[in-house]
Amino acid sequence: MLAGLVVGLALIPEAISFSIVAGVSPSVGLYSSVVMAITISIVGGRRAMISAATGAIALVVAPVAKEHGLDYLIATVLLAGVLQLVLGAVGFAKLMRFIPRSVMVGFVNALAILIFIAQLPHLVGVPIVVYPLVVLGVAAIVLVPRITKAVPAPLIAVALITAITLLGGIAVPTVGDEGTLPSGLPAFVLPHVPLTLQTLGIIGPFALAAALVGLVESLMTAKLVDEITETGSNKTRESIGQGIAQIASGLFGGMGGCGMIGQTMINVRGSGARTRISTFSAGVFLLILMVALHGLVADIPMAALVAVMIMVCVGTFDWHSIRPSTLRRMPVGETVVMVVTVIVVVATNDLSIGVVVGVVTAMIVFARRVARFATVTRTVGDDGGVRYLVDGELFFATSNDLTHHFDYAADPDLVVIDLTGSHVWDASTVAALDAISTRYGRRGKTVEIEGMNAASTRFHGRLTGSLASGE
């Protein structure tokens, strides 16, 4: 519950900031965070993960709010929730198995960089006293766990810095400077938009983008928490839970959201939370802080929250991945994938785009690496017969050059291609084998293919002769 209190405090300035990004009132982002945190704690599939209003979703839905108003924004959030329910039900979460470790490391490192960059506005053009307060907060977070772990160190840091500024009458930027906190409970609302195809055309593309971005970020966050806590989670339940939480957010006038990796790191790594209680209490405490204690919360120095987020950055970044010893041992392709992921995420400020580009880069690197594995060996028997032994996996990356390994002019009338050490994976390979047979056939020669396993035989038999060889 104390971990939830720390997260609730940290959510306030972020939710206000994301509301500004989306072009709506701070109350919209704050209410969205309350509803999503409480809802996902019940229906989500990853314990201790925090879901609330996020910058990624704010960026996606901002054009709707700007051009069409709040009602269309809420309609977009509701549709995004429905789409997430559908995607979750059809197994979208299973796609996470195709995200390689190098992309995951790049995702984590980029996130740490983005969190740090987000703190810079609170460190530039501020009174000089802010800097020692931030240093004090960082020191408290580092040293307190060595004395006691009964109370989360970030909470002690926030309380300490707040007490110093209030008792000492020190004027520094506070949470209240970020925006006005609401003083009432969220109310049930329905968007006043016409139920027409024109409305669907307006909100549809943004809803789909929000649904995909929200699921990718949430599932990546869940996967990271799995590794940190060494426990499993139900990704399909999490996907469906995100849809339910998204719909609940919209029904209470929220701007939607998704899994928050920064706040989750505060909860899991900074405070040691492991249960749904922490997520539930984060939403409850955020509501209490907004409604009952908004005056006190408004006086919390931003320096305290900056200190917390800086330590989150330090704990999130995978420092092992950039050690010289690691870089020397790691294949160049793996490092390239990680770096590309980091660069794209930081450049676009969008984690989902970075993940997609990282996965595509990893696919290219993998295809280039595997393309070198297939070999063709030509042997001549005592009777003058020629046999080609093909060894390795045959798919588009390896089979495109397959036709160049045969001596069509010099080979005898009967040529044997032995695929005992191979497997035919795709139509490109079948087309390549057909092309080889065609080239020999033009010279009046015959090709015999032998040694294929049962699966390759069935696949080859189904497609051979029906594909254009390009000859």
Side-chain angles (χ1 to χ4, degrees):
M1 291 185 69
L2 290 175
L5 176 57
V6 175
V7 173
L9 287 169
L11 276 173
I12 292 173
E14 292 211 357
I16 293 173
S17 299
F18 298 149
S19 299
I20 295 171
V21 170
V24 295
S25 166
S27 62
V28 175
L30 289 166
Y31 287 151
S32 186
S33 297
V34 169
V35 174
M36 288 205 70
I38 293 176
T39 304
I40 204 66
S41 70
I42 300 170
V43 300
R46 171 65 259 180
R47 296 189 302 273
M49 193 176 93
I50 304 298
S51 292
T54 60
I57 299 298
L59 288 171
V60 171
V61 300
V64 181
K66 181 179 180 180
E67 297 177 15
H68 303 283
L70 182 60
D71 283 321
Y72 277 84
L73 169 62
I74 294 174
T76 301
V77 171
L78 293 173
L79 180 58
V82 173
L83 292 174
Q84 286 181 331
L85 288 177
V86 174
L87 290 170
V90 300
F92 179 85
K94 295 179 180 178
L95 296 177
M96 295 303 294
R97 71 182 66 177
F98 297 106
I99 298 180
R101 180 185 179 279
S102 52
V103 175
M104 191 68 183
V105 172
F107 169 84
V108 169
N109 290 347
L111 176 71
I113 294 172
L114 287 180
I115 293 174
F116 181 77
I117 292 175
Q119 310 314 308
L120 295 181
H122 305 298
L123 295 172
V124 177
V126 295
I128 193 69
V129 71
V130 166
Y131 302 110
L133 289 174
V134 171
V135 173
L136 177 62
V138 170
I141 295 171
V142 173
L143 298 176
V144 165
R146 301 181 183 181
I147 302 172
T148 178
K149 294 185 178 180
V151 181
L155 180 57
I156 293 177
V158 170
L160 176 63
I161 296 175
T162 303
I164 290 174
T165 56
L166 290 178
L167 296 176
I170 302 173
V172 292
T174 63
V175 170
D177 297 330
E178 297 293 308
T180 303
L181 298 178
S183 57
L185 297 173
F188 184 84
V189 298
L190 287 175
H192 294 88
V193 297
L195 300 178
T196 63
L197 290 177
Q198 182 180 4
T199 300
L200 182 62
I202 293 173
I203 67 175
F206 296 100
L208 179 60
L212 293 174
V213 168
L215 284 183
V216 168
E217 287 207 30
S218 299
L219 294 175
M220 289 288 285
T221 304
K223 185 176 180 180
L224 180 60
V225 177
D226 290 350
E227 295 180 1
I228 292 173
T229 62
E230 298 181 355
T231 59
S233 61
N234 189 329
K235 303 298 191 302
T236 298
R237 177 177 173 178
E238 181 62 35
S239 300
I240 295 174
Q242 287 292 327
I244 296 173
Q246 198 87 270
I247 293 172
S249 169
L251 291 176
F252 283 92
M255 54 182 275
C258 61
M260 298 188 74
I261 192 164
Q263 306 303 328
T264 299
M265 289 301 99
I266 294 177
N267 196 42
V268 174
R269 179 165 277 166
S271 302
R274 293 293 184 273
T275 70
R276 297 180 186 274
I277 296 175
S278 60
T279 309
F280 182 83
S281 62
V284 173
F285 277 127
L286 176 57
L287 183 60
I288 294 172
L289 290 169
M290 285 191 320
V291 177
L293 303 174
H294 59 275
L296 177 60
V297 172
D299 290 332
I300 295 176
M302 287 303 301
L305 299 180
V306 168
V308 172
M309 298 308 291
I310 287 176
M311 290 309 298
V312 169
C313 296
V314 174
T316 301
F317 196 92
D318 188 347
W319 299 100
H320 179 267
S321 67
I322 60 172
R323 289 178 183 172
S325 58
T326 303
L327 295 175
R328 284 194 299 269
R329 290 194 305 268
M330 192 68 63
V332 175
E334 299 287 325
T335 303
V336 168
V337 171
M338 181 194 72
V339 172
V340 167
T341 304
V342 171
I343 291 175
V344 173
V345 171
V346 174
T348 62
N349 200 34
D350 192 320
L351 294 167
S352 58
I353 293 177
V355 170
V356 171
V357 173
V359 170
V360 171
T361 305
M363 290 170 58
I364 295 172
V365 170
F366 175 76
R368 287 176 58 85
R369 185 182 302 161
V370 175
R372 304 170 187 168
F373 291 165
T375 59
V376 179
T377 305
R378 183 178 185 269
T379 60
V380 181
D382 296 335
D383 58 354
V386 172
R387 173 180 292 268
Y388 286 92
L389 178 62
V390 181
D391 188 43
E393 303 302 311
L394 297 178
F395 66 109
F396 64 90
T398 56
S399 60
N400 283 336
D401 295 331
L402 192 62
T403 57
H404 303 306
H405 292 280
F406 296 83
D407 192 344
Y408 302 99
D411 285 343
D413 291 341
L414 177 62
V415 176
V416 177
I417 300 177
D418 188 349
L419 298 181
T420 303
S422 304
H423 186 94
V424 177
W425 285 105
D426 62 4
S428 296
T429 303
V430 177
L433 293 172
D434 286 352
I436 293 169
S437 298
T438 300
R439 292 187 183 185
Y440 277 116
R442 288 174 180 171
R443 293 170 173 80
K445 302 176 182 181
T446 304
V447 174
E448 289 185 359
I449 300 176
E450 62 180 39
M452 282 193 291
N453 57 40
S456 296
T457 300
R458 289 194 299 270
F459 188 80
H460 180 265
R462 189 166 69 249
L463 294 180
T464 186
S466 63
L467 302 173
S469 64
E471 291 295 303

